[in-house]
Amino acid sequence: MWSAGCGGSAGPVLLGLLLALLVPGGGAVKTGAGLVTCGSVLKLLNTHHRVRLHSHDIKYGSGSGQQSVTGVEASDDANSYWRIRGGSEGGCPRGSPVRCGQAVRLTHVLTGKNLHTHHFPSPLSNNQEVSAFGEDGEGDDLDLWTVRCSGQHWEREAAVRFQHVGTSVFLSVTGEQYGSPIRGQHEVHGMSSANTHNTWKAMEGIFIKPSVEPSAGHDEL
């Protein structure tokens, strides 16, 4: 069985975070083209299945029993916001453009847990389970994902992949849908190969303006 936690109201928590990002001198913008930067809060859309990366205070009833991660079709769900952060040792100063090939943590805004994967089978497809793990943004070394993209930096209009540092799988969706209590939400899992099921694009969010002008780069991929 699935198990639900006792998290509080999402609205005030999210509003508080967004207000904190928008303090004078914070340099945050809501829309427009540009680069994804460290500290930004955003939603991620799987470009093939058209669902946004999502989590909530509901735990898997099998596998690790950790907080579940899914894909949702709704664009206005507050549980789909993630914050871009560096590893525990730093390396992702607020406002610095995220480089292609850089390892980052994706922290779920409303629960403070990090996007995570490990060697458990996913509930529906038997691929690798993806969960949300940790407390207040601190988990372990299985929370790191490498941003795979073309060029030098992660561009907001470009499709990217997220490859797990510890197990090499790609963050993916292949269309399987859950029943109750999260009926209609899509399974998110890790796959060993790069394909159309694991491309993502930055969507709605609050983006920190780049703290420095990035230099031009050449294609990596």
Side-chain angles (χ1 to χ4, degrees):
M1 294 180 61
W2 298 78
S3 60
C6 53
S9 172
V13 177
L14 181 62
L15 179 60
L17 174 68
L18 297 185
L19 287 174
L21 289 173
L22 289 167
V23 294
V29 293
K30 287 186 178 180
T31 57
L35 302 176
V36 176
T37 52
C38 297
S40 295
V41 172
L42 74 167
K43 295 181 180 180
L44 291 166
L45 178 75
N46 183 282
T47 61
H48 186 72
H49 294 277
R50 311 302 295 178
V51 294
R52 285 163 174 78
L53 188 68
H54 180 92
S55 192
H56 38 224
D57 199 4
I58 298 176
K59 296 177 173 59
Y60 286 119
S62 61
S64 69
Q66 293 175 4
Q67 182 170 299
S68 56
V69 171
T70 62
V72 298
E73 295 177 1
S75 62
D76 58 353
D77 194 319
N79 272 305
S80 300
Y81 281 108
W82 301 81
R83 184 156 52 119
I84 308 299
R85 304 170 61 222
S88 57
E89 74 289 345
C92 195
R94 177 186 168 91
S96 62
V98 177
R99 303 182 308 276
C100 295
Q102 182 173 351
V104 299
R105 289 183 291 182
L106 298 170
T107 302
H108 188 242
V109 169
L110 294 185
T111 63
K113 297 183 184 298
N114 297 324
L115 189 70
H116 181 94
T117 189
H118 40 215
H119 293 297
F120 286 94
S122 59
L124 302 181
S125 66
N126 206 40
N127 284 299
Q128 186 163 298
E129 180 192 277
V130 170
S131 65
F133 174 75
E135 295 293 336
D136 297 323
E138 297 305 320
D140 63 21
D141 58 2
L142 293 178
D143 299 341
L144 287 171
W145 298 80
T146 300
V147 180
R148 298 297 184 194
C149 49
S150 296
Q152 187 174 10
H153 294 98
W154 178 2
E155 298 179 2
R156 282 156 55 186
E157 295 300 315
V160 303
R161 292 185 173 90
F162 298 97
Q163 186 173 22
H164 190 240
V165 172
T167 66
S168 299
V169 298
F170 292 89
L171 184 69
S172 306
V173 177
T174 50
E176 297 84 1
Q177 291 180 272
Y178 290 109
S180 180
I182 52 173
R183 185 174 303 279
Q185 295 188 21
H186 292 241
E187 182 185 85
V188 172
H189 50 247
M191 299 183 74
S192 59
S193 61
N195 54 55
T196 58
H197 299 296
N198 42 54
T199 55
W200 300 83
K201 182 181 176 183
M203 298 297 287
E204 306 84 2
I206 301 293
F207 297 86
I208 308 300
K209 289 182 179 179
S211 54
V212 294
E213 281 296 319
S215 58
H218 59 278
D219 287 353
E220 294 182 351
L221 303 179

